[in-house]
Amino acid sequence: MVARSMFTAALASMAASACAQQLLTYAGSPLQIEYPCTAEDMLSSGLHCTAEDPCRVYLELAALEPVGARLFVAGNLHTGSVTLQSVLLASADAGRTWSEPAGRVRGASLEHIKFFDYETGWVAGQLLLPLPRDPFLLLTTDGGATWRRRPVFSESRHGAIEMLRFDSRTDGTAWIDRTQSGESGALFERYESTTGGESWVLREAVGRRPPGLAGAARAETGWRLRADQATQSYRVERSGPGGWQLAAAFSILSGECRPAPAPLPEAPPEPAPVPEPPRKKK
């Protein structure tokens, strides 16, 4: 009874949070996750986009996690050359409506979603600049209504979260892949947390990929996320009596980056009227 009431409260909290955000409603056509590209974004990302040759922005989704009637999907927005922002999407009604419960992280990608129970969950990602570095977690303790960001490293270093596991609300393990760091020595590091992901401690460093990281089996959830080439979208599907059924879809193309149009030149001011010379008195 307690677990059910907590789950109901989490649903209500998430729904209330979603009301304060922009809700996207799936009605059959793939939803588009917009990227409002600005001149500052193009400059910080090193993009060279022109009006004649704009930079296309794509959505990439890498993880799906169902939690009761709630769904979470995570990934990033990117161009053909650079990762722009992380994206976390949530639905409180099995895919009918969607919102973004966490702020986007510039230059980052999200790749793993784990929930221990209806309230406590984690989303793992890292910056891609362009190599993976500074892995971090987004943490929630209210069923995904709000999230907070916590780093794994205490200082900036190369690495990506290869595997994430929590055996309780507090005790977790993260394996970090540092093979792209260009450094010699230990290339895989095991970190542990006893604070629910708030802080992490290095426990082990090895030079080869641990056997347990390769091809880790994923528990069957009755949901799947797949890219569909025919519709150029990511499909969120649920297993049913007749096979996989579509619950929602997201367009892979999210928009374009291009310079703002140049302002039109202002019209020259009208010349002031020339006063008539005074008339001579007769």
Side-chain angles (χ1 to χ4, degrees):
M1 182 65 70
V2 174
R4 182 178 295 274
S5 64
M6 294 177 69
F7 175 52
T8 303
L11 272 177
S13 177
M14 183 175 169
S17 176
C19 288
Q21 308 168 34
Q22 180 185 5
L23 275 177
L24 298 175
T25 301
Y26 180 67
S29 298
L31 299 172
Q32 187 173 47
I33 306 303
E34 296 183 355
Y35 175 69
C37 190
T38 65
E40 180 184 356
D41 293 330
M42 290 187 287
L43 181 63
S44 63
S45 301
L47 292 175
H48 301 284
C49 315
T50 65
E52 296 75 20
D53 187 19
C55 303
R56 287 195 167 191
V57 178
Y58 304 97
L59 173 70
E60 180 179 354
L61 296 178
L64 162 69
E65 184 74 7
V67 186
R70 293 167 292 164
L71 294 172
F72 297 90
V73 294
N76 69 78
L77 291 165
H78 64 91
T79 66
S81 60
V82 64
T83 300
L84 299 170
Q85 293 179 338
S86 66
V87 173
L88 178 63
L89 300 166
S91 173
D93 49 20
R96 189 177 67 85
T97 58
W98 295 84
S99 64
E100 291 189 52
R104 299 178 183 180
V105 181
R106 176 173 287 180
S109 179
L110 303 177
E111 297 181 359
H112 306 276
I113 309 174
K114 302 290 182 183
F115 269 79
F116 178 74
D117 52 29
Y118 290 136
E119 290 78 39
T120 310
W122 306 265
V123 180
Q126 50 274 323
L127 302 182
L128 299 174
L129 300 171
L131 297 178
R133 67 181 306 120
D134 302 341
F136 62 88
L137 272 76
L138 302 179
L139 286 65
T140 183
T141 52
D142 57 10
T146 60
W147 298 81
R148 56 191 182 277
R149 179 180 170 188
R150 295 293 183 267
V152 175
F153 297 157
S154 58
E155 57 186 21
S156 182
R157 298 170 67 220
H158 286 95
I161 296 178
E162 178 81 359
M163 187 275 289
L164 178 69
R165 186 184 76 244
F166 274 86
D167 299 317
S168 70
R169 289 187 173 191
T170 56
D171 298 331
T173 301
W175 275 99
I176 307 298
D177 179 352
R178 303 192 66 244
T179 55
Q180 298 187 56
S181 66
E183 303 173 14
S184 59
L187 298 178
F188 293 89
E189 298 176 347
R190 179 171 61 86
Y191 285 77
E192 292 184 353
S193 175
T194 58
T195 59
E198 297 282 352
S199 59
W200 295 85
V201 177
L202 176 63
R203 295 300 188 193
E204 182 182 3
V206 296
R208 295 183 178 180
R209 180 185 300 272
L213 295 187
R218 175 175 170 79
E220 179 58 46
T221 64
W223 290 87
R224 72 178 183 182
L225 175 69
R226 70 178 184 91
D228 183 62
Q229 186 175 4
T231 60
Q232 290 294 292
S233 67
Y234 284 96
R235 294 167 61 94
V236 177
E237 298 175 337
R238 186 174 193 173
S239 179
W244 292 100
Q245 300 172 356
L246 181 63
F250 297 92
S251 174
I252 292 177
L253 181 62
S254 290
E256 296 178 337
C257 280
R258 65 174 71 216
L264 296 175
E266 295 183 4
E270 295 184 3
V274 178
E276 295 183 2
R279 296 181 179 181
K280 292 182 180 181
K281 295 181 180 181
K282 293 182 178 180

